Amino acid sequence: MINMTSKILIVGACGQIGSELTSKLRETHGAENVIASDIRESNADFMNSGPFEVLDATDFEAFEKICKSHNIKTVYMMAAMLSGTAEKFPMKAWDLNMTSLFNVLDLAKNETIKQVFWPSSIAVFGPTTPKFDTPQQTVMEPTTVYGISKQAGERWCAYYHKRYGVDVRSIRYPGLISYKTPPGGGTTDYAIEIFYDALEKEEYTSFLSKDTALPMMYMDDAIEATISIMKTPAEQIKVRSSYNLGGVSFTPEELGKLVAEEIDGFQMNYDPDFRQAIADSWPSSINDEEAQKDWNWQHKYDLEMIVKAMLEGIRSLENSNSEA
Ligand code: AKB
């Protein structure tokens, strides 16, 4: 039976961004109007929070069937293999990141759905890009498979918009910091791991060197940006590849110092691994004036606020787990 109320589908809904996006969209639109999907089921709380479909985003027919049966008109295509894992499985990463994007763009092209969100990343930039205050338009020669897939994806988004009128919108996320769902294999994950280790053992060994500055953002800001760009009238969206989003830039050493102010005796160590080369190829800070101008973007969380929110959030999760 076809359901006639138009709905939202989140692909990759159990992931770091997908899970928080699903909660937020369900709060606003009602749980029954937001369908979560992922390659496999998640924990009981998530599964009981609203409709869920198992979906392999690389399977076009399955994707189309779900969109038609639920009358999906908006898709947030959040499934992707991130930078660290993608370097271990280059062809798998390329296949997942590109096939899932083509599937959603083709569903919009054939008018099964009307609107698409697709995440890009600061990984589209490379070592030849200006490193500080990186502008929206600049040299882009990514050296990671993840970055190459995101850069190619951006070009395809712009192409589908120009050639077929597809309403696709995208953000180049910086590293995202959150505690509700663990991240999956990114180079910026140190800025999450540090909080867990600090609380558990008052010590953290960073896999990036102490002076590696990267652009980062608290998840609440990232979710706000994602929903905000999707709500903006189409004529205001001037960039159809992907918008730069800046957030805050800091080094592991700067983050470690703030954590030490909150946790007595906290000790920071450094043991860079293969992810150091990835981080070295990325910008240290990002200019997001275009997003500010076109859809009034402004982030809220500075680094001090992020540190406090992360420690509070993890502590309250641990308390509720121990009470359960
Ligand atoms: C990663 O580290 O791979 C991601 C990203 C910056 O896109 N967090």
Side-chain angles (χ1 to χ4, degrees), residues 257-285:
K257 279 190 181 143
L258 285 181
V259 172
E261 284 174 19
E262 301 289 327
I263 297 191
D264 285 347
F266 175 72
Q267 166 78 38
M268 185 88 167
N269 311 306
Y270 302 92
D271 186 14
D273 69 11
F274 72 99
R275 289 167 283 192
Q276 183 65 47
I278 301 178
D280 286 342
S281 77
W282 288 352
S284 295
S285 61

Side-chain angles (χ1 to χ4, degrees), residues 42-303:
S42 180
N43 59 51
D45 280 353
F46 189 80
M47 297 305 294
N48 293 332
S49 69
F52 184 91
E53 294 275 2
V54 171
L55 172 64
D56 172 355
T58 63
D59 180 344
F60 182 80
E61 273 156 34
F63 209 150
E64 185 174 48
K65 198 166 156 209
I66 287 175
C67 288
K68 287 189 170 162
S69 67
H70 289 281
N71 197 28
I72 302 287
K73 292 297 160 207
T74 303
V75 175
Y76 290 79
M77 217 337 290
M78 311 310 285
M81 197 183 285
L82 298 186
S83 57
T85 316
E87 288 309 295
K88 294 181 188 152
F89 309 103
M91 291 322 293
K92 218 169 145 185
W94 177 257
D95 183 38
L96 170 64
N97 294 359
M98 298 311 293
T99 309
S100 57
L101 172 61
F102 279 121
N103 284 348
V104 76
L105 290 176
D106 283 334
L107 286 168
K109 179 185 159 199
N110 74 21
E111 295 181 7
T112 301
I113 60 172
K114 285 191 162 44
Q115 210 192 14
V116 175
F117 178 84
W118 177 77
S120 187
S121 161
I122 54 160
V124 293
F125 300 115
T128 50
T129 300
K131 214 165 174 56
F132 297 96
D133 203 29
T134 303
Q136 175 70 39
Q137 275 148 345
T138 184
V139 180
M140 290 163 84
E141 295 182 319
T143 49
T144 63
V145 66
Y146 175 64
I148 295 169
S149 74
K150 290 296 180 188
Q151 191 200 26
E154 286 192 6
R155 300 321 322 149
W156 280 109
C157 288
Y159 182 87
Y160 268 66
H161 175 72
K162 187 160 185 276
R163 173 112 197 242
Y164 308 117
V166 165
D167 186 2
V168 54
R169 301 164 185 216
S170 176
I171 284 170
R172 291 173 181 153
Y173 289 123
L176 298 183
I177 304 181
S178 65
Y179 63 88
K180 292 185 186 150
T181 306
T187 300
T188 54
D189 293 1
Y190 90 85
I192 298 173
E193 290 174 5
I194 184 174
F195 294 101
Y196 286 90
D197 281 18
L199 284 169
E200 200 190 313
K201 18 183 203 183
E202 291 138 34
E203 187 183 2
Y204 178 62
T205 302
S206 168
F207 57 76
L208 297 183
S209 68
K210 63 179 183 181
D211 50 0
T212 309
L214 287 171
M216 302 272 189
M217 180 173 281
Y218 192 55
M219 184 61 85
D220 289 21
D221 275 338
I223 299 294
E224 179 66 34
T226 308
I227 292 175
S228 169
I229 192 177
M230 289 295 271
K231 282 202 306 217
T232 300
E235 61 279 8
Q236 274 173 246
I237 303 294
K238 307 285 185 221
V239 176
R240 290 293 182 160
S241 51
S242 190
Y243 278 93
N244 272 9
L245 222 58
V248 282
S249 289
F250 56 85
T251 63
E253 187 176 39
E254 286 161 346
L255 178 57
K257 279 190 181 143
L258 285 181
V259 172
E261 284 174 19
E262 301 289 327
I263 297 191
D264 285 347
F266 175 72
Q267 166 78 38
M268 185 88 167
N269 311 306
Y270 302 92
D271 186 14
D273 69 11
F274 72 99
R275 289 167 283 192
Q276 183 65 47
I278 301 178
D280 286 342
S281 77
W282 288 352
S284 295
S285 61
I286 297 279
N287 180 310
D288 63 13
E289 277 166 13
E290 303 276 323
Q292 293 176 32
K293 181 164 59 74
D294 291 356
W295 42 280
N296 297 322
W297 171 244
Q298 210 61 60
H299 72 271
K300 292 195 185 74
Y301 282 78
D302 62 22
L303 184 53

